[in-house]
């Protein structure tokens, strides 16, 4: 939800307050989610910062929907659109039932959702249930009247009666989910947008925080949402390495380490000579800790600061895009990523233009179309392939008889690479190129490829 400081302060503030302990799976949530989560395997999420699309923001997003549909994404996640203080990005909510005035009106949102649905795009809102703004009327009343306020128990307090927050977010007081009024309030607000505007679900901000304090809330909440909308899409801003979120009915959670806000791929691309090994470690750690979880994978979002292309350049961005869209998980692109837009996410003054053609956008579109066409690229199955060159990472994706081999060259020099295909079926297969890359040569079960610098080969067999 914003730049993440150290977790140490949060742990200290919760030491006396958190009930702790794992929560057991919620049967109602798991059953209600079973059908909906299958659809998540083919999902490609696109994060939208509305004011970066123009003014008024919601109408500008609607005007850009054809470009997003043409790109091939399936699901839009709108960063917060609820009423918030002027100048705030949106995570300091002051009214959960009102569209932010400078973004547009409820009618503008309804028109956006209707047009998205016409183009076969789903729309997720960014729900912020962990906390409110310190300027929310409930918190102001609690701060002014203390325990005599009907809203005092709506907020978490320490033993001295001071409001509790995470990190340095003093303007974002934690809600108290041991208070039935908070549970009803947030559940009713969540259901309202589904029933009145027809949205398709939520990306849930700081879901890890409520899990830390009142883990029982999430299973009951997801079950309520799916009673109203059985195919709702629910994404938790929390680590996929914690199996809790899948058990409680979420479709996907973030590709984080075990520490909130820390991206599993955070340092993967810093050393070009070591990218394959760092990437493999990150993938293996997530798979080992939560083998059944759907992982929301990304190269950038609202919390990753300068854009990936700014930090690593267009060539590496091209190879990383191929990894994002051919590895297991739910890929997530973010505002302007496909056209190489460069900006800081929380500075929303500059508009990003999506209607300008570019080689990078063509590349993303080709990768997305290939993922849609090949079930193996949407499956959960992948096997690393040993290679002869340190800068190359390769893996096979499978679904039934279909197999897809992905070879990523992260180095800045051309290479001749030999792949030791691990399966007899792969060794005898006829491999066909899917992205206009080099043709392979087979010799006694080994594959040889000549790859240019930052080259990509995606080969299919069935």
């Amino acid at each position: 939800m914003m730049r993440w400081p150290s977790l140490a302060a949060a742990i200290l503030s919760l030491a006396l307050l958190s009930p702790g302990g794992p929560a057991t799976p919620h049967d109602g949530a798991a059953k209600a989610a079973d059908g909906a989560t299958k659809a998540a395997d083919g999902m490609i999420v696109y994060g939208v910062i509305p004011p970066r699309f123009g003014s008024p923001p919601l109408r500008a997003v609607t005007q850009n929907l054809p470009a997003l549909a043409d790109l091939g994404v399936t699901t839009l996640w709108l960063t917060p659109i609820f009423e918030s203080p002027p100048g705030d990005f949106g995570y300091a909510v002051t009214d959960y039932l009102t569209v932010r005035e400078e973004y547009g009106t409820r009618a503008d949102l309804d028109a956006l959702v209707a047009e998205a649905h016409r183009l076969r795009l789903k729309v997720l809102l960014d729900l912020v249930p962990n906390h409110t703004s310190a300027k929310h009327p409930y918190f102001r009343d609690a701060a002014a009247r203390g325990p005599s306020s009907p809203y005092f128990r709506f907020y978490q307090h320490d033993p001295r009666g001071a409001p509790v927050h995470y990190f340095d977010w003093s303007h974002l007081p934690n809600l108290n989910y041991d208070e039935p009024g908070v549970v009803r309030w947030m559940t009713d607000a969540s259901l309202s947008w589904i029933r009145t505007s027809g949205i398709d679900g939520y990306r849930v901000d700081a879901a890890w925080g409520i899990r830390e304090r009142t883990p029982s809330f999430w299973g009951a909440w997801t079950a309520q949402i799916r009673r109203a909308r059985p195919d709702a899409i629910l994404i938790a801003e929390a680590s996929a390495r914690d199996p809790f979120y899948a058990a409680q009915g979420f479709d996907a959670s973030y590709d984080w380490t075990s520490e909130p806000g820390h991206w599993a791929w955070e340092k993967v691309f810093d050393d070009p000579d070591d990218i394959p090994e760092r990437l493999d470690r990150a993938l293996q750690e997530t798979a080992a800790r939560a083998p059944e979880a759907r992982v929301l994978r990304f190269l950038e979002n609202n919390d990753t600061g300068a854009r990936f292309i700014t930090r690593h350049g267009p060539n590496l961005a091209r190879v990383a895009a191929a990894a994002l869209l051919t590895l297991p998980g739910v890929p997530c692109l973010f505002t302007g990523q496909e056209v190489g837009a460069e900006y800081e996410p929380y500075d929303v003054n500059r508009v990003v233009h999506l209607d300008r053609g570019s080689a990078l956008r063509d590349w993303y579109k080709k990768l997305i179309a290939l993922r849609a066409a090949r079930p193996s690229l949407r499956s959960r199955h992948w096997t690393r392939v040993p290679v002869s060159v340190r800068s190359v990472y390769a893996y096979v994706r499978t679904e039934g008889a279909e197999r897809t081999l992905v070879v990523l060259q992260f180095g800045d020099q051309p290479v001749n690479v030999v792949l030791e295909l691990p399966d007899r079926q792969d060794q005898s297969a006829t491999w066909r190129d899917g992205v206009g890359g080099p043709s392979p040569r087979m010799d006694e079960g080994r594959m040889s490829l000549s790859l240019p610098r930052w080259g990509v080969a995606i080969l299919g067999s069935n």
Side-chain angles (χ1 to χ4, degrees), residues 230-285:
D231 62 346
I233 297 166
L234 304 174
I235 298 174
E237 190 197 23
S239 177
R241 296 184 183 184
D242 184 348
F244 170 89
Y245 301 96
Q248 300 302 303
F250 283 96
D251 297 295
S253 42
Y254 274 46
D255 192 14
W256 282 353
T257 66
S258 298
E259 186 172 3
H262 285 267
W263 180 31
W265 293 10
E266 196 166 336
K267 299 184 184 302
V268 162
F269 301 97
D270 291 349
D271 181 357
D273 292 333
D274 201 31
I275 290 174
E277 291 308 315
R278 291 187 182 196
L279 177 60
D280 191 64
R281 282 196 297 272
L283 294 171
Q284 298 290 359
E285 286 174 10

Side-chain angles (χ1 to χ4, degrees), residues 19-357:
T24 56
H26 189 284
D27 290 341
K31 290 176 182 176
D34 186 53
T37 52
K38 288 182 173 60
D41 286 327
M43 187 164 60
I44 297 178
V45 179
Y46 190 99
V48 171
I49 305 176
R52 283 205 171 273
F53 282 66
S55 183
L58 293 180
R59 292 184 186 180
V61 173
T62 303
Q63 291 169 0
N64 279 276
L65 291 178
L68 295 173
D70 177 72
L71 181 64
V73 299
T74 68
T75 306
L76 308 182
W77 147 38
L78 305 184
T79 58
I81 64 164
F82 305 140
E83 196 62 67
S84 302
D88 186 83
F89 188 79
Y91 288 108
V93 179
T94 55
D95 186 345
Y96 287 91
L97 296 176
T98 303
V99 172
R100 191 169 184 165
E101 185 175 0
E102 60 261 44
Y103 281 20
T105 65
R106 173 72 73 114
D108 291 333
L109 175 64
D110 293 349
L112 187 161
V113 173
E115 178 63 6
H117 288 171
R118 187 185 73 80
L119 294 169
R120 307 187 84 172
L121 297 169
K122 294 182 181 294
V123 179
L124 311 183
L125 297 188
D126 203 328
L127 184 69
V128 189
N130 177 73
H131 51 261
T132 71
S133 168
K135 296 181 179 180
H136 193 286
Y138 291 178
F139 184 77
R140 284 183 161 177
D141 189 86
R145 299 168 59 190
S148 64
S149 167
Y151 304 112
F152 185 81
R153 281 189 50 80
F154 275 39
Y155 292 89
Q156 187 185 18
H157 294 84
D158 67 18
R160 296 168 296 145
V164 175
H165 57 82
Y166 289 111
F167 309 119
D168 58 352
W169 304 343
S170 57
H171 64 303
L172 303 175
N174 286 349
L175 288 167
N176 172 23
Y177 279 85
D178 292 329
E179 168 58 44
V182 172
V183 173
R184 288 194 299 271
W185 173 33
M186 208 54 58
T187 302
D188 288 347
S190 305
L191 291 169
S192 174
W193 294 99
I194 289 174
R195 289 168 173 162
T196 61
S197 292
I199 66 159
D200 301 286
Y202 291 102
R203 176 268 188 188
V204 182
D205 182 69
W208 59 270
I210 298 172
R211 185 256 197 277
E212 187 82 34
R213 304 193 302 278
T214 313
S216 60
F217 171 74
W218 281 128
W221 180 83
T222 60
Q224 285 266 61
I225 295 298
R226 289 219 165 85
R227 275 195 283 272
R229 180 73 185 264
D231 62 346
I233 297 166
L234 304 174
I235 298 174
E237 190 197 23
S239 177
R241 296 184 183 184
D242 184 348
F244 170 89
Y245 301 96
Q248 300 302 303
F250 283 96
D251 297 295
S253 42
Y254 274 46
D255 192 14
W256 282 353
T257 66
S258 298
E259 186 172 3
H262 285 267
W263 180 31
W265 293 10
E266 196 166 336
K267 299 184 184 302
V268 162
F269 301 97
D270 291 349
D271 181 357
D273 292 333
D274 201 31
I275 290 174
E277 291 308 315
R278 291 187 182 196
L279 177 60
D280 191 64
R281 282 196 297 272
L283 294 171
Q284 298 290 359
E285 286 174 10
T286 298
R289 296 194 185 198
E292 297 303 315
R294 280 181 182 82
V295 183
L296 188 79
R297 299 200 191 279
F298 49 88
L299 299 178
E300 59 192 42
N301 59 28
N302 55 306
D303 284 324
T304 54
R307 304 296 80 188
F308 188 94
I309 199 168
T310 304
R311 288 178 283 121
H312 300 294
N315 295 311
L316 192 53
R318 182 179 180 277
V319 187
L324 176 69
L325 286 158
T326 61
L327 281 164
V330 177
C332 180
L333 283 63
F334 204 70
T335 297
Q337 180 177 331
E338 76 281 12
V339 295
E342 298 186 75
Y343 59 88
E344 289 282 346
Y346 292 107
D347 176 9
V348 297
N349 295 319
R350 187 172 142 224
V351 172
V352 171
H353 297 283
L354 304 185
D355 56 353
R356 297 175 181 172

Side-chain angles (χ1 to χ4, degrees), residues 349-423:
N349 295 319
R350 187 172 142 224
V351 172
V352 171
H353 297 283
L354 304 185
D355 56 353
R356 297 175 181 172
S358 71
L360 186 60
R361 187 187 189 279
D362 292 344
W363 177 240
Y364 268 102
K365 184 175 178 179
K366 180 181 288 189
L367 291 168
I368 290 171
L370 190 64
R371 185 181 182 94
R374 296 192 65 80
S376 57
L377 292 178
R378 305 191 302 275
S379 77
R380 300 192 185 190
H381 309 298
W382 68 288
T383 304
R384 185 178 182 181
V385 175
V387 298
S388 62
V389 177
R390 184 178 176 184
S391 64
V392 173
Y393 191 68
Y395 43 93
V396 172
R397 306 293 313 283
T398 61
E399 180 65 22
E402 184 189 275
R403 310 175 84 77
T404 303
L405 172 64
V406 181
V407 188
L408 308 173
Q409 146 69 329
F410 292 100
D412 61 359
Q413 296 297 321
V415 296
N416 295 314
V417 60
V418 176
L419 293 84
E420 300 283 348
L421 298 177
D423 191 283

